[in-house]
Amino acid sequence: MKKFLMSIVAVLFAANSFAQYSSGGFSLSESTVYYGLRLGLNLSTLTGDVSDDLGMKPGLNVGPVIGVRLSDSTPVFLESGVFFSMNGAKDGDNSVSLNYFRIPILIKYGVQVSDDIAVLPFIGPTVAFGIGGDRKIAGAGSTSSFGSDKYSRFDAGIRFGCGAEWNKLYLELGYEFGITNIADWKKVNGIDDASAHNGNLFINFGVNF
């Protein structure tokens, strides 16, 4: 967590020095393409038959984004990127870690609040591929999270929230919920076709340029 906080501070210092050269990461009044970097905190959960007694788990998400304006007359943008995202759930010594490469495809609508501030609500689908993680059970050690009779690697969901930009600095708060059943168990606790779905509340800091 200390390294995570230091990384956020580094991004903000870098963004502040870059912001001195211009105002706003993109203009809502003209066609533009913008790029950005995001670094933030995940507060993730699992819901369904396989998530009994597991609560919220903190983690990291980080990645680059690119956005493009879709209309000359309306400030609507399409934004996507590739994120490393740490998901899962935890309760004491019992935990599930699910690390993904996640790709959101978002529609954003820009509202110019002042010359320097824009607010951008967003919504869109996400797809993800699991790249690692483990399941830890108190007194029983740990095993890999992904594989046969475990969690499936593919996940898809919906992301929504709102961002705000000031002098290239960007802050967003959002939530994403999984629509894919990622449980690959044939039976859990006597339940056939058990289910599990990702849920994640996130807050991201970053820059647009």
Side-chain angles (χ1 to χ4, degrees), residues 15-158:
N16 192 39
S17 62
F18 188 79
Q20 296 175 8
Y21 295 98
S22 62
S23 176
F26 55 88
S27 171
L28 299 181
S29 61
E30 60 187 47
S31 298
T32 44
V33 175
Y34 66 92
Y35 305 89
L37 295 172
R38 306 286 185 262
L39 173 66
L41 173 68
N42 286 344
L43 297 172
S44 60
T45 57
L46 286 170
T47 59
D49 303 315
V50 301
S51 58
D52 291 345
D53 301 322
L54 290 176
M56 190 172 288
K57 182 179 182 295
L60 172 74
N61 81 87
V62 60
V65 299
I66 182 172
V68 60
R69 184 169 177 145
L70 298 179
S71 169
D72 290 335
S73 59
T74 306
V76 177
F77 299 83
L78 177 67
E79 182 183 288
S80 187
V82 180
F83 287 80
F84 171 72
S85 181
M86 299 170 65
N87 295 88
K90 183 177 182 179
D91 180 55
D93 294 330
N94 300 318
S95 66
V96 177
S97 297
L98 302 168
N99 300 328
Y100 294 96
F101 280 135
R102 186 173 295 277
I103 301 174
I105 304 171
L106 305 176
I107 295 295
K108 291 190 166 186
Y109 184 84
V111 179
Q112 197 80 45
V113 177
S114 70
D115 290 341
D116 296 336
I117 299 174
V119 174
L120 299 105
F122 58 83
I123 190 170
T126 72
V127 294
F129 183 78
I131 57 173
D134 55 36
R135 295 187 297 176
K136 296 181 180 179
I137 300 175
S142 64
T143 60
S144 174
S145 294
F146 298 110
S148 177
D149 203 31
K150 299 177 182 178
Y151 291 94
S152 60
R153 292 185 182 274
F154 177 78
D155 185 35
I158 302 295

Side-chain angles (χ1 to χ4, degrees), residues 158-176:
I158 302 295
R159 174 180 289 200
F160 62 91
C162 188
E165 185 190 16
W166 172 72
N167 280 343
K168 296 190 181 294
L169 296 179
Y170 182 79
L171 172 68
E172 67 181 6
L173 176 69
Y175 187 81
E176 53 193 10

